[in-house]
């Protein structure tokens, strides 16, 4: 079973001077700490005492894909993790579940631990079909080569990202239990996959979210940019 993971996603934020925020995060608390950085910052962050990830990778190892970054390039820069299928990649770049599965497979073949992001829109939540959408995303975005060692799932309701709105703990519990059950049905080690919650996680709500069954960590956007905001989330996870 993978250790609990406090993961930050800096998205398209941060210049080299901002890496100072990562120097004093809590260490040795029995949980893993990861920051997914803009690719430009990965080489400068590779020696910091925490794991570094990319935010996306191409499905090919190299080739004529201007502006894209491959999984071997991320490894070469110093990353050990990568996010795939973040809702902002799906909406800004039209990425499909099949694209996400291909990127995740490429990441696995390069030895990157992959955090595959899934989650429903507000319209889906209102229509009452959240679990159906989650089923489809899990079936089509998670490749057959996924294992508990090389993959975590991040449940990020699109309507909770950057909005300050957070699902109730009952809603998080329902979706996380569902993801856990589906993974256990499909993969021999499916019950051991880490399942992160993401969407407006802050120090003020982290403890109650981490108390929800089958929540093994968080994927944190805005509150990962400053050590003062992210450190209490790491501490809350360690205490959970
Ligand atoms: P916020 O924590 O800013 O809502 O972002 C969540 C997210 O998208 C992490 O990947």
């Amino acid at each position: 079973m993978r250790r609990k993971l406090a993961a930050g996603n800096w998205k398209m934020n941060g210049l080299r001077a901002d890496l100072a925020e990562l120097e004093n995060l809590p260490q040795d608390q029995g949980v893993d700490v990861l920051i997914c950085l803009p690719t430009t910052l990965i080489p400068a962050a590779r020696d910091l005492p925490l794991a570094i990830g990319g935010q996306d990778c191409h499905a090919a190892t190299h080739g004529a894909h201007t502006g894209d970054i491959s999984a071997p390039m991320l490894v070469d820069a110093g990353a050990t993790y990568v996010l795939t299928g973040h809702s902002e990649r799906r909406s800004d770049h039209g990425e499909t579940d099949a694209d996400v599965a291909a990127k995740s497979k490429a990441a696995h073949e390069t030895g990157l631990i992959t955090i595959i992001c899934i989650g429903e829109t507000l319209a889906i939540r209102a229509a009452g079909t959240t679990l159906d959408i989650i089923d489809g995303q899990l079936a089509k975005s998670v490749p057959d080569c996924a294992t508990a060692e090389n993959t975590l799932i991040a449940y990020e309701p699109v309507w909770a990202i950057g909005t300050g709105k957070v699902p109730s703990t009952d809603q998080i519990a329902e979706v996380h239990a569902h993801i856990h059950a589906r993974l256990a049905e499909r993969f021999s080690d499916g019950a051991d996959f880490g399942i992160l919650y993401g969407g407006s996680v802050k120090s003020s709500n982290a403890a109650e979210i981490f108390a929800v069954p089958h929540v093994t960590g968080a994927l944190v956007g805005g509150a990962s940019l400053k050590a003062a905001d992210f450190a209490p989330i790491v501490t809350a996870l360690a205490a959970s």
Side-chain angles (χ1 to χ4, degrees):
M1 176 109 35
R2 182 168 286 290
R3 292 207 303 182
K4 292 177 180 175
L5 176 65
N9 174 10
W10 276 21
K11 308 190 179 185
M12 197 174 72
N13 296 291
L15 301 175
R16 278 183 298 162
D18 297 305
L19 291 175
E21 292 294 329
L22 302 180
E23 282 166 15
N24 295 312
L25 289 173
Q27 292 177 48
D28 303 326
Q29 297 209 354
V31 300
D32 291 326
V33 180
L34 162 71
I35 299 285
C36 295
L37 291 170
T39 313
T40 49
L41 295 182
I42 293 175
R46 63 185 302 160
D47 294 328
L48 291 171
L50 74 173
I52 300 298
Q55 299 175 5
D56 174 56
C57 68
H58 199 278
T61 55
H62 62 279
H65 303 289
T66 302
D68 278 315
I69 301 286
S70 72
M73 289 172 178
L74 288 177
V75 172
D76 189 49
T80 54
Y81 283 78
V82 66
L83 304 178
T84 56
H86 191 281
S87 69
E88 289 150 15
R89 298 292 313 175
R90 293 176 187 259
S91 62
D92 291 1
H93 299 272
E95 290 185 9
T96 64
D97 287 324
D99 294 329
V100 177
K103 287 167 181 258
S104 302
K105 184 165 180 284
H108 293 154
E109 286 168 353
T110 314
L112 287 167
I113 301 169
T114 308
I115 301 177
I116 302 176
C117 305
I118 60 174
E120 83 285 2
T121 61
L122 195 54
I124 297 292
R125 170 66 58 182
T129 53
T130 294
L131 297 183
D132 297 331
I133 291 298
I134 294 291
D135 279 345
Q137 291 175 331
L138 282 176
K140 291 186 234 148
S141 297
V142 182
D144 289 335
C145 55
T147 68
E149 283 303 308
N150 67 20
T151 301
L152 296 90
I153 304 298
Y155 169 55
E156 298 205 300
V158 178
W159 51 275
I161 294 176
T163 59
K165 294 185 186 141
V166 181
S168 69
T169 50
D170 283 350
Q171 288 173 322
I172 297 174
E174 179 186 42
V175 177
H176 276 246
H178 189 80
I179 293 169
H180 176 79
R182 280 287 179 271
L183 293 170
E185 283 166 15
R186 178 172 163 195
F187 297 100
S188 59
D189 61 353
D192 294 333
F193 279 50
I195 309 175
L196 311 180
Y197 169 78
S200 297
V201 176
K202 300 186 171 26
S203 59
S204 56
N205 59 23
E208 64 175 339
I209 292 171
F210 295 145
V212 174
H214 303 301
V215 172
T216 67
L219 181 55
V220 183
S224 71
L225 294 172
K226 297 284 177 203
D229 297 325
F230 194 52
I233 295 173
V234 176
T235 305
L237 183 62
S240 70

